[in-house]
Amino acid sequence: MNDLSQILLTIILNTGLMSIITFISYRKQNRKLKDKEVELESEKVEKARIESKSDEWHLYKEQLELANNRIKELLEVNREKESRLTEKERLHSERISEIEERFTKQTNFLRGVQRNLNESLERENALICKIGKLTRLIDYLKQWLCKKPWSECKVREPEQVVKPLKYIPFDEITEGSEKLITELGGDN
């Protein structure tokens, strides 16, 4: 048993001694190995972070493409609406110009009718004035009318009526009336 314990003790001591020697001789390498493992882990973390950033970038890129497509669609819709509105505006302006042209024609027609009416009214007023003057002249001349034969009418003064007529004196009658008197054979 002694041999066995000695063998065991020798194995344990040799193993321990070998472990210490290995530890001392490989400690720099172990430290480097651990540092490398830490670096590897940090690189894996960095790689994962970069991949996540890449995934985010691809996501952003897809969103940007979708947004650009949507903007293009909206621009196309806007162009269509703008062309429709331009067409409607053109039609409205044509309609307005037609209405304005019709309004101008009607206004010119009404102005012509108004002008003709005013001229007709002026002529009518002139004729009414002329008729009135001629009526007064006729009434004035009737006062001097003698129904007896010419030889018996020596005094030609008008007969007095119960109510004397009020006329403008003969001198104030217009030239047209005097002309008429001379045409009728009266004295001037």
Side-chain angles (χ1 to χ4, degrees), residues 88-152:
K88 283 183 181 179
E89 185 177 329
R90 186 186 62 78
L91 292 175
H92 285 299
S93 63
E94 287 177 2
R95 177 75 174 134
I96 287 171
S97 64
E98 289 173 4
I99 290 172
E100 286 176 348
E101 184 178 325
R102 192 176 79 202
F103 178 76
T104 305
K105 286 181 182 177
Q106 289 175 350
T107 303
N108 290 337
F109 176 75
L110 288 177
R111 285 181 181 156
V113 168
Q114 185 70 32
R115 197 176 307 114
N116 292 340
L117 178 66
N118 287 339
E119 290 172 359
S120 297
L121 288 175
E122 287 175 8
R123 281 193 308 264
E124 183 182 357
N125 287 339
L127 290 175
I128 289 172
C129 287
K130 198 172 194 177
I131 289 171
K133 289 176 184 178
L134 290 175
T135 305
R136 283 193 318 220
L137 179 63
I138 290 171
D139 287 343
Y140 183 76
L141 292 176
K142 279 183 182 177
Q143 290 178 7
W144 290 88
L145 181 65
C146 183
K147 295 183 182 174
K148 298 177 191 173
W150 182 260
S151 58
E152 295 175 9

Side-chain angles (χ1 to χ4, degrees), residues 23-36:
F23 175 74
I24 291 173
S25 62
Y26 288 113
R27 92 173 169 231
K28 287 184 180 178
Q29 285 180 354
N30 282 340
R31 190 177 308 140
K32 285 181 183 179
L33 184 61
K34 286 183 182 178
D35 288 343
K36 293 291 181 182

Side-chain angles (χ1 to χ4, degrees), residues 36-48:
K36 293 291 181 182
E37 285 177 358
V38 168
E39 281 181 25
L40 182 63
E41 288 297 320
S42 68
E43 285 178 5
K44 284 181 182 177
V45 168
E46 187 67 24
K47 183 180 177 184

